[in-house]
Each structure stands twice: as structure tokens, then as C-alpha cells.
Amino acid sequence: MLEGTCMIHRPVETMAMAMDLDNSAQTPTGRIVIQKVAGRSAVTSLFARYPLKFIRPTKAVSSQVDVVWIYTVSFGGGIVTGDLVYYTIAVGEGCTAVLTTQASTKVYKAVGGKCSEQFFEAQVGSNALLAILPDPVTCFSTARYSQRQIFNVASDGNLVLVDWLTSGRHKRGEIWDFELYKSTNNIYLDGNQPLFLDSTKLEQGAGYSVVDRMQAFHVIAMLVVLGPRLEHTRKHIMEKIRERNSELFGGQLQNSTPRVKKAKSPQREISEAVLLASCSTFGPMDIGLVVRIVATSTESVYKFFREHLTSIGPFIGTCPYGGR
């Protein structure tokens, strides 16, 4: 099941509204606040409790770049049954922050049919930039996982969001063998204007399993690039995807979506393509871009992100996923 981008009109969503939790569970597992201090982006508040941990490296990139890097870590190396992680980040006016991981987010086997949940809320101020650059989520056999991410972005704020999933632990024969995966990403402008509302859901069904539906693909991914400071990045990505799809499929592109020529053997076409990507703009004056990806290998997606996000390097101090 895949619910695409849509526009609706309703009151702004808050994390308390998004979660059906008791009062004690609404206490954040973690909180990050980044503001300008002496003219530079700086962490002014940092808090985390089990099962979440934040690592703030002091030499992630050159000190000449005004950016804060923060790594999120789970105790035990992953998310276990019944875990409920809820954390927030506020990126103040003119600040730049990167939120990333050290390795893939592992979701362990479900016990008793319980679902592991993660909720994340971000505030991005005027002329600020927040880059969410995680490694992929990897769900183990029988795992049940749901995540919800809400972004409240100023009208001139900027956001790079990567959200992706692998098929599982191949060496153990676990390929799309989890029970449930759901990821929701909602973006609002100036706190109350719905801009981008998206949900992806993969669930084992009575008729078709997830592996049947995914066929030869082992990775699904989404990339969102939003804001005036990232206009060049959006144009760069769209052009590279047009060129790539023209080489793969031939023909011309309309609205950034490739016209796929019918192949005598669909499986042959998939194996040759390795990675398929499409993109489309959204929002007033096409201020946002969403890219959707399916691929047969994790490495090819890492390479795609490195090549297509290279232009944000000067903002964050390095090429995204450069060490992967």
C-alpha cells in the first residue's frame, strides 16, 4: 500500500495529536535545540533518555563551516519490541544542522505482535537548514514498526529529508519478511499550512506477501528537498534524473516522470536498471521536490545520494554519505 503526496486543509498537526499515548509517554525521549551563539550555529539544549542517545562530534567537519552535526543512537544497536521513541529538534533562525546515524536502524523481531514506534518533530526557523540524512531502516523477520515525522518549516526555511528502507538481513534469508512497516512524513509551512503529506505502508497480506509485490527490488527510498537555499540542488537533481531515465528507457520525459518502454521481459529490465528514480515538484512556486527510488542494492542508493546531493556539501561541510 502506498499513499502518495496529497494536499488537505485541517488544523496543524502536533505530536500530541499524532500520538495516542498516555500523559507519561508524551514526555520526550530526546530534545535538541540549536540557536545562534556568537554568530554561529550551536547546541543550546541537548537531552536524551533510554533507549535514545545523541552523539555530538566536535570535529565532524571543518570548523569554517557553520553547521552542527548530531548522531542518533539506540541502546542495544536497534529498536526492540514495544520501544516508543519520541524526540524533537528546533533549528533556530539562520542555523544549519545535520541529523544522521552511524549505521542502519535495526528493528528487531516483534514479540507478542507488539509494534515498535518512533515519533519525530522538527521546527525549522527562518533561513535555517535541517538535513535528515540517516542510514536505512532494516526490519528483521516478523518485526512491526511505525514511524511518524512532522516538520514545521518557516516559509523561507530549508529541509533535506531522506527516508528509506531495506528488505532485511539477506545473509539470514530474511527478504521483506517483516510483518509491518509504516512511515509517515508531514511537512507544514509556517506552522499551519499543509504542504507535503505522505505515507508509505508495507504489510503482509493474505493474497500477496511484501516480497511478491517488491519482486527484484531490495530498497525503497524517498528524498525531499525544500526551500529557497536549495533551488540549485533541486534543479541539479531533476536534470540528473531526466538524463538518467533517458539513458535507461529512451524517449522524452514529461513532468519529470520517465516514459518506460515496454520490455519483452520485465525482470530483465529491472535487473539492468538496478535503480529506478522519479521526481516531481510540489508547493507554491515549486519550492519543494520529492524523489522516489526503488533499487536492487543498498550500495546503489548510497551512490545515488552522493551524486545527487553533492551540491549541499558547502552547507553541511561534506558530501552526504561520503563515508559509505
Side-chain angles (χ1 to χ4, degrees):
M1 174 182 175
L2 176 63
E3 304 170 16
T5 305
C6 62
M7 286 293 297
I8 63 174
H9 298 282
R10 57 181 170 85
V12 63
E13 182 176 21
T14 65
M15 192 58 70
M17 294 167 59
M19 295 187 295
D20 182 17
L21 306 172
D22 58 34
N23 291 333
S24 62
Q26 290 184 25
T27 303
T29 312
R31 181 180 63 249
I32 306 166
V33 179
I34 298 172
Q35 297 174 314
K36 284 288 187 179
V37 177
R40 294 184 61 84
S41 302
V43 176
T44 57
S45 179
L46 188 69
F47 157 78
R49 62 181 175 88
Y50 183 86
L52 181 66
K53 180 180 180 181
F54 295 132
I55 297 177
R56 180 167 53 115
T58 57
K59 297 181 180 180
V61 296
S62 170
S63 60
Q64 296 181 354
V65 182
D66 181 23
V67 62
V68 171
W69 278 70
I70 295 177
Y71 289 82
T72 62
V73 180
S74 296
F75 283 95
I79 299 174
V80 301
T81 295
D83 271 355
L84 175 59
V85 179
Y86 163 32
Y87 65 107
T88 67
I89 185 170
V91 184
E93 180 178 353
C95 295
T96 300
V98 177
L99 202 58
T100 186
T101 55
Q102 293 181 313
S104 64
T105 298
K106 300 173 182 63
V107 182
Y108 295 113
K109 295 184 176 184
V111 177
K114 291 182 179 180
C115 186
S116 304
E117 299 178 85
Q118 181 163 285
F119 301 90
F120 172 68
E121 186 172 18
Q123 302 281 342
V124 183
S126 176
N127 197 39
L129 168 62
L130 172 62
I132 308 293
L133 303 173
D135 295 284
V137 172
T138 297
C139 294
F140 288 15
S141 175
T142 75
R144 298 180 63 85
Y145 177 69
S146 176
Q147 69 173 23
R148 191 177 190 91
Q149 303 188 126
I150 299 173
F151 301 88
N152 294 310
V153 184
S155 58
D156 61 345
N158 305 271
L159 174 68
V160 177
L161 167 62
V162 171
D163 186 22
W164 56 319
L165 168 75
T166 72
S167 60
R169 299 183 294 178
H170 299 179
K171 292 182 179 180
R172 291 178 175 264
E174 297 178 3
I175 300 176
W176 302 115
D177 198 30
F178 51 82
E179 291 295 324
L180 170 69
Y181 169 86
K182 184 175 182 180
S183 178
T184 299
N185 292 282
N186 293 345
I187 303 174
Y188 299 87
L189 279 185
D190 289 328
N192 60 9
Q193 180 183 349
L195 178 67
F196 177 87
L197 309 179
D198 184 89
S199 183
T200 298
K201 182 178 180 181
L202 294 175
E203 187 173 21
Q204 303 295 349
Y208 291 92
S209 65
V210 176
V211 68
D212 289 334
R213 285 173 281 172
M214 294 305 297
Q215 298 186 31
F217 294 110
H218 288 278
V219 184
I220 59 173
M222 182 181 73
L223 166 65
V224 173
V225 181
L226 169 70
R229 289 173 62 184
L230 301 172
E231 180 180 3
H232 172 70
T233 299
R234 291 194 299 276
K235 291 180 177 178
H236 170 75
I237 291 172
M238 286 190 289
E239 184 59 32
K240 286 187 71 68
I241 289 178
R242 287 193 186 100
E243 292 175 356
R244 187 179 188 283
N245 287 338
S246 292
E247 293 176 0
L248 286 174
F249 307 121
Q252 300 298 317
L253 303 181
Q254 291 183 345
N255 299 323
S256 305
T257 303
R259 292 179 181 173
V260 182
K261 289 184 176 180
K262 292 183 178 180
K264 295 181 179 179
S265 170
Q267 290 295 332
R268 179 174 179 269
E269 184 176 44
I270 289 174
S271 65
E272 288 179 350
V274 178
L275 182 149
L276 305 177
S278 66
C279 63
S280 60
T281 58
F282 63 88
M285 300 180 67
D286 294 335
I287 197 170
L289 176 73
V290 57
V291 181
R292 301 190 187 276
I293 302 162
V294 290
T296 55
S297 73
T298 306
E299 291 74 18
S300 66
V301 182
Y302 274 125
K303 181 181 178 182
F304 180 93
F305 288 146
R306 287 194 298 268
E307 293 177 349
H308 290 72
L309 290 175
T310 182
S311 61
I312 73 168
F315 297 130
I316 66 172
T318 187
C319 176
Y321 301 106
R324 299 296 192 271

